[in-house]
Amino acid sequence: MRSLVVLLLVGALVAALAIALAVGPYPLSLSDVLHGAARALGFEDGTPAPGEIVFGRVRLPRVAAGMLVGAALAGAGAAYQTLFRNPLVSPDILGVASGAGLGAVAGILLSLPVAGIQGLAFVGGLATVALVYLIAAALRGHDRTLVLVLGGVVVGALAGACISLVKIMADPYDQLPAITFWPLGSLGGVKLGDLAVTAPLVLVGLVPLVLWRWRIGVLSLGDDEARALGVDVTKLRAAVIAAATLMTASVVAISGVIGWIGLMIPHIARMLVGPNFSRMLPAAMLLGAAFMLVVDTTARSLARVETPLGILTAVLGAPFFLWLLARGRKTWG
Amino acid sequence: MRQHMKCLHVLRQALIAAACLLSTALAAREVEDATGRRIVLPDQVTRVMAAGPTAAVVLYVLAPGKMIAWPSAPRPNEREFILPAVRDLPELGRLTGRGDTANVEVVLKARPDVIFDYGSVSPTFSSLAARVQEPTGIPYLLIDGRLDRTPASLRRLGGALGVADRAEAIARYVEETERMIDDRLKDVPASARGRVYLAREPNGLETGLTGSINTEIIERAGGINVAERGNARGGIANVSIEQVLAWAPDTIITWDAHFYAGYANEPVWAAVPAVRDKRVFLAPRLPFGWIDAPPSINRVIGLRWIAGLLYPDKFPEDIRSVARDFIKLFYQAEVSDVQLDRILAGAQPGGRGR
């Protein structure tokens, strides 16, 4: 039964992948696709035809980025939800999105090139979560989870205020539209080079989640129970937060903030395979990749201009989430 | 019958003239702004405040001596093109009635005779203007900032501010530029029109859709903006590089120095016809933007620049001397060859030595 679910998820991902590669504003021939793929793998050189460039350097990286972003956000969301024992938690609960947003917006204000904006977004996301964690560690004697979440809310609000301040200082004709667009998320500008940096970072974040999947699952029983089973709760929690934050910050740096995926997809995964983290993590990542592909394909085929991804995920995600709530089935534990 | 008609005509002319005289005598300084609000101005307007950046350019061009502040002060690289007495004026922020950065008390302390804004004249802005005017008691004029209304708006403003001659000279220049473009391009069929993509942002993937205030001068200069609006509202939008390839523009205009410096190293951009044919141009931004930033009368030189880029045979004049004359007439600055080189860096075909 469970393996059937995984098989179905893989099938859905492959179908979404095929559609995502086939659909786009630039018409492609089969030869473009084959040559473009061969070139992307390094089997061909010489001057490529425009169609090959579209397939190999535009659509392929974009589709790969979509899968990476979706899988990373959903995986991080699954880790956070298990860690906080709460299905309403998303990867930005500790302020990673607002921090990354502030970093990116500062980069736009300083007129940095794209790589600089992405770098600042990445650093901003990591720094914000580190700050939240330090605040929570300093406030001993309170409920750890509560202090972490409240710290995330406070620091996130601060970052939001700083973003508004930057908006006032920005050039209204040049920088302000970009500052408005960035937090809405897009894969329109992703290049192969971005993936070469981002994919290893996501992988580094994923390794501890996979290696310690049993112990992370034990965390969902509660701190005391986990301690009784011999888990160093404090260290493990820090490691999971660091890993999930690394995954989120690195994809948010190239895609901008894309809401709902990290909240909704782990939820669905839990409905499909149950709350066991070692099964939920791969299911969430597969589902997240497939969902992101569907959303991004929609985003670039709805109109000639891009529809920001954050808008689409919210429009698709909000009603679905309400439906989940209305069904009222207990899917936790 | 014919005689009768002529008689009537003369009578009507006389009546109109009399009515005009009468109205000016009764309300010497009541003016109507672009939204139909009637506003009483002092006889002598000597201190004028521009509500936002678009108005600031118009005010600087028409009556620099009456300017009392900048909404945002000129940046260091712009200062050298601005009259010394004006470039050091204080920065007071925007006062358009919404999202203001100007403090009303500070504005009152600066004692403007009149505040005016140059731009959208929708009912929203009309009521916002009234909301600024009512508590402060300072007359607030709204002037229509649409490109095709420029000459009429300049004359209206010139009358209100008491600089009718200067406004007439500038309005004539605008009219002559527009007429020249229309005359020289009237035989160019739609199929031979230049297809232009406006690249914004370092990645070049932000653009302005057709009809947007950010790109309207491309269309006015006889080009086709490839970013068709479709069913979207005209404005700034993000697009994918794949869509740019599908549009296949033959000219790219950017104002982002990072994009201009970097696109050549991107294999993806190399497949765009404009890049292949080395027709990517960096829009000048000094002392005010040539195509936008702000969308005010500073764009008039952009019309000539883009028309010259797209139809070099029809516009053989050297853009250097056109720009020099424009900057002298509009901004009262004499630019040297070195300054012109800096202004026009990247803005001319073959200017990059590639």
Side-chain angles (χ1 to χ4, degrees), chain A residues 24-26 50 53-54 57-59 62 111-114 168 171 173-174 177-178 181 188-189 191 300 304-306, chain B residues 53 75 200-202 205-206 209 228 236 238-243 245-246 255 258 266-268 271 285 293-295:
Chain A
Y26 197 97
I53 291 183
V54 168
R57 294 205 186 246
V58 178
R59 229 176 267 178
R62 181 166 185 165
S111 296
L112 296 183
V114 182
I168 288 181
D171 180 335
Y173 304 105
D174 190 355
F181 279 124
K191 289 198 282 280
R300 56 196 169 91
R304 293 196 173 169
V305 302
E306 301 261 315
Chain B
R75 280 173 277 202
R200 297 166 53 113
E201 285 308 294
L205 293 178
E206 191 181 282
L209 304 179
E228 291 159 49
I236 302 287
N238 281 326
V239 298
S240 66
I241 178 69
E242 194 176 336
Q243 182 62 60
L245 283 164
W255 68 0
H258 286 301
E266 303 280 351
V268 177
R285 304 190 71 156

Side-chain angles (χ1 to χ4, degrees), chain A residues 1-332:
Chain A
M1 176 63 196
R2 294 243 152 92
S3 56
L4 185 69
V5 169
V6 172
L7 218 65
L8 276 177
L9 286 179
V10 172
L13 180 59
V14 171
L17 181 64
I19 295 170
L21 283 175
V23 174
Y26 197 97
L28 291 182
S29 68
L30 189 62
S31 122
D32 289 333
V33 172
L34 296 176
H35 284 287
R39 194 179 298 275
L41 296 170
F43 291 131
E44 269 183 57
D45 35 38
T47 317
E52 290 176 39
I53 291 183
V54 168
F55 185 78
R57 294 205 186 246
V58 178
R59 229 176 267 178
L60 219 48
R62 181 166 185 165
V63 165
M67 292 198 293
L68 184 69
V69 170
L73 289 177
Y80 272 120
Q81 291 189 359
T82 308
L83 187 68
F84 287 99
R85 296 190 293 279
N86 189 330
L88 293 175
V89 162
S90 69
D92 22 314
I93 186 88
L94 298 184
V96 58
S98 350
L102 179 57
V105 160
I108 295 170
L109 183 71
L110 297 172
S111 296
L112 296 183
V114 182
I117 295 172
Q118 291 175 347
L120 272 185
F122 178 65
V123 172
L126 290 188
T128 307
V129 176
L131 183 64
V132 169
Y133 193 82
L134 288 178
I135 290 174
L139 295 173
R140 297 221 169 257
H142 295 83
D143 179 341
R144 293 282 287 175
T145 314
L146 185 69
V147 174
L148 266 176
V149 172
L150 287 180
V153 170
V154 170
V155 176
L158 259 177
C162 292
I163 291 177
S164 301
L165 180 68
V166 171
K167 278 187 182 175
I168 288 181
M169 299 193 303
D171 180 335
Y173 304 105
D174 190 355
Q175 298 166 331
L176 200 54
I179 290 177
T180 312
F181 279 124
W182 197 90
L184 298 175
S186 167
L187 293 171
V190 173
K191 289 198 282 280
L192 271 177
D194 302 332
L195 290 176
V197 179
T198 308
L201 287 172
V202 171
L203 217 58
V204 168
L206 188 59
V207 166
L209 294 187
V210 172
L211 283 182
W212 299 330
R213 58 190 181 277
W214 297 108
R215 273 185 260 180
I216 296 170
V218 169
L219 268 187
S220 70
L221 299 173
D223 289 5
D224 295 339
E225 287 81 351
R227 262 189 215 103
L229 288 167
V231 174
D232 185 340
V233 174
T234 312
K235 269 191 191 152
L236 185 61
R237 186 186 284 128
V240 172
I241 289 176
T245 302
L246 180 66
M247 288 167 71
T248 313
S250 33
V251 296
V252 163
I254 59 165
S255 71
V257 181
I258 302 171
W260 281 99
I261 292 206
L263 172 66
M264 187 177 69
I265 298 294
H267 213 83
I268 303 172
R270 194 177 306 113
M271 287 174 60
L272 291 173
V273 298
N276 186 334
F277 183 69
S278 50
R279 274 199 292 267
M280 188 180 129
L281 179 69
M285 292 184 73
L286 282 174
L287 203 58
F291 181 73
M292 195 68 238
L293 281 182
V294 171
V295 170
D296 186 48
T297 310
T298 314
R300 56 196 169 91
S301 31
L302 264 187
R304 293 196 173 169
V305 302
E306 301 261 315
T307 314
L309 294 176
I311 294 175
L312 280 181
T313 52
V315 167
L316 293 175
F320 182 78
F321 200 74
L322 282 179
W323 176 74
L324 276 184
L325 285 179
R327 283 190 56 196
R329 196 180 116 196
K330 279 231 180 264
T331 53
W332 189 260

